[in-house]
Amino acid sequence: MACKDPEVDLWTVPLVALNVRVRKQLGLYLNPRSTVAPDWMAVAEAMGFTYLEIKNYESCVNPTKAVLEDWQARCSDATVGKLLSILSDEVERKDIVEDLRPLIDEDVRKYLDNQKKKAEPPLQVPEVDSCLPRTPERFGITLEDDPEGAPELFDAFICYCQSDFEFVHEMIRELEQTECRLKLCVFDRDVLPGSCVWTITSELIEKRCKRMVVVVSDEYLDSDACDFQTKFALSLCPGARNKRLIPVKYKPMTKPFPSILRFLTICDYTKPLTQSWFWVRLAKALSLP
């Protein structure tokens, strides 16, 4: 079954090309049970559905719609051309094809145009398409940034307040100076002075670090910088879809644990029975792609 456009082979156009309007019209033709003309049951049989399957479709409000969706989902040859062939040749409903052909051809044209647009690479100037920092303040912000602008990358950004820096030192020993060989971004050690704190922090969390470790303590709750860093990281991964943020509790707290982190799995260093697994679990989480 060829399209009116001689360059289009409808046997290669998947059924998904037909939109809601056409499917609704097909239902108006095929849903009513008729003793004169073949209905949706004849179409379903021609599509290969079994007797029991067809009987189950009888309870559907729109059986034609359900049959089309299931045929599309399970058959690789569920194409527009195949559907038109079934309607015209196998169930002899050429009247439907003739009436709906203009709408079907319009859907096919729109589908092919959309596919062509998706296949074409977007037009971008080099500056927009570049992976390098785009503005001067994002060049040379860490100790090992390349002078030409190639960014230094890290496995994790460590969010901490100054009073917890002793534990951050232990984290460096356990994760960087062992066989784990992870690369951590510790602000006081790795970031060069003289730049805007908020601009550089957002650049590091979003572009330079795969994950962020939040060292949670009573002092953390009073830190404006930690609050900004945590909320910014959460905004990048709603629902923790890519496990971007990992809370770490390393000492007992007198204040309630922050509510914005309660839905995340915690690495808890305060439990003596699980301390031996702590660094292994944290290193594994930070090593995920």
Side-chain angles (χ1 to χ4, degrees):
M1 178 72 62
C3 180
K4 291 182 180 179
D5 183 346
E7 297 182 0
V8 176
D9 181 4
L10 293 182
W11 289 86
T12 64
V13 179
L15 197 66
V16 71
L18 300 184
N19 68 19
V20 175
R21 179 180 56 172
V22 169
R23 293 170 188 249
K24 183 177 180 180
Q25 289 295 318
L26 286 169
L28 293 177
Y29 280 99
L30 294 170
N31 284 338
R33 297 299 305 274
S34 173
T35 57
V36 179
D39 54 27
W40 68 269
M41 299 182 74
V43 172
E45 185 177 357
M47 289 176 173
F49 289 94
T50 65
Y51 172 78
L52 288 177
E53 288 174 324
I54 294 172
K55 291 295 290 183
N56 281 323
Y57 286 124
E58 287 184 325
S59 61
C60 296
V61 176
N62 189 341
T64 300
K65 177 177 178 289
V67 166
L68 289 174
E69 290 176 350
D70 288 352
W71 186 54
Q72 173 183 308
R74 77 183 197 179
C75 296
S76 59
D77 65 342
T79 65
V80 175
K82 177 67 172 176
L83 174 63
L84 296 182
S85 176
I86 290 173
L87 291 172
S88 294
D89 304 328
E90 299 189 46
V91 301
E92 297 184 347
R93 291 300 304 267
K94 293 182 180 179
D95 59 311
I96 298 177
V97 175
E98 291 175 358
D99 289 349
L100 299 186
R101 191 58 186 271
L103 296 179
I104 291 172
D105 286 341
E106 182 182 351
D107 280 359
V108 168
R109 178 184 58 78
K110 290 180 179 178
Y111 172 81
L112 294 176
D113 286 346
N114 287 334
Q115 293 301 109
K116 184 178 179 181
K117 290 178 182 177
K118 290 179 182 179
E120 293 174 351
L123 295 176
Q124 293 179 313
V125 297
E127 289 77 12
V128 174
D129 195 37
S130 173
C131 294
L132 301 178
R134 297 184 179 90
T135 52
E137 68 268 21
R138 296 175 189 263
F139 283 91
I141 63 176
T142 59
L143 283 173
E144 296 184 17
D145 265 358
D146 189 285
E148 300 298 324
E152 182 180 8
L153 303 178
F154 301 87
D155 291 301
F157 181 91
I158 309 302
C159 173
Y160 62 94
C161 61
Q162 292 299 318
S163 61
D164 298 323
F165 201 61
E166 184 177 345
F167 179 73
V168 174
H169 271 285
E170 185 177 358
M171 188 178 295
I172 291 171
R173 289 194 300 271
E174 294 291 339
L175 299 179
E176 286 192 336
Q177 300 170 6
T178 62
E179 64 274 8
C180 297
R181 298 196 178 279
L182 293 167
K183 188 172 182 179
L184 308 179
C185 181
V186 180
F187 202 93
D188 292 286
R189 179 193 67 176
D190 298 311
V191 177
L192 298 176
S195 301
C196 173
V197 172
W198 310 116
T199 301
I200 299 311
T201 300
S202 60
E203 165 77 9
L204 290 168
I205 294 172
E206 182 178 10
K207 306 288 177 129
R208 309 286 195 93
C209 302
K210 291 193 298 182
R211 286 177 173 78
M212 186 169 93
V213 174
V214 182
V215 180
V216 183
S217 63
D218 287 337
E219 294 77 13
Y220 158 90
L221 296 174
D222 297 325
S223 169
D224 291 336
C226 290
D227 182 65
F228 167 78
Q229 293 166 13
T230 303
K231 290 178 178 176
F232 181 77
L234 285 171
S235 72
L236 299 175
C237 59
R241 284 193 295 266
N242 58 358
K243 304 178 183 177
R244 189 184 186 110
L245 194 148
I246 302 170
V248 168
K249 180 181 176 184
Y250 82 99
K251 64 181 181 181
M253 297 176 61
T254 59
K255 299 177 181 179
F257 196 81
S259 58
I260 60 173
L261 298 178
R262 285 178 183 169
F263 70 97
L264 298 174
T265 306
I266 303 169
C267 250
D268 194 342
Y269 195 63
T270 65
K271 298 178 180 179
L273 294 178
T274 61
Q275 276 187 3
S276 60
W277 307 327
F278 177 86
W279 296 112
V280 175
R281 292 178 67 227
L282 183 56
K284 181 66 175 179
L286 296 180
S287 301
L288 294 173

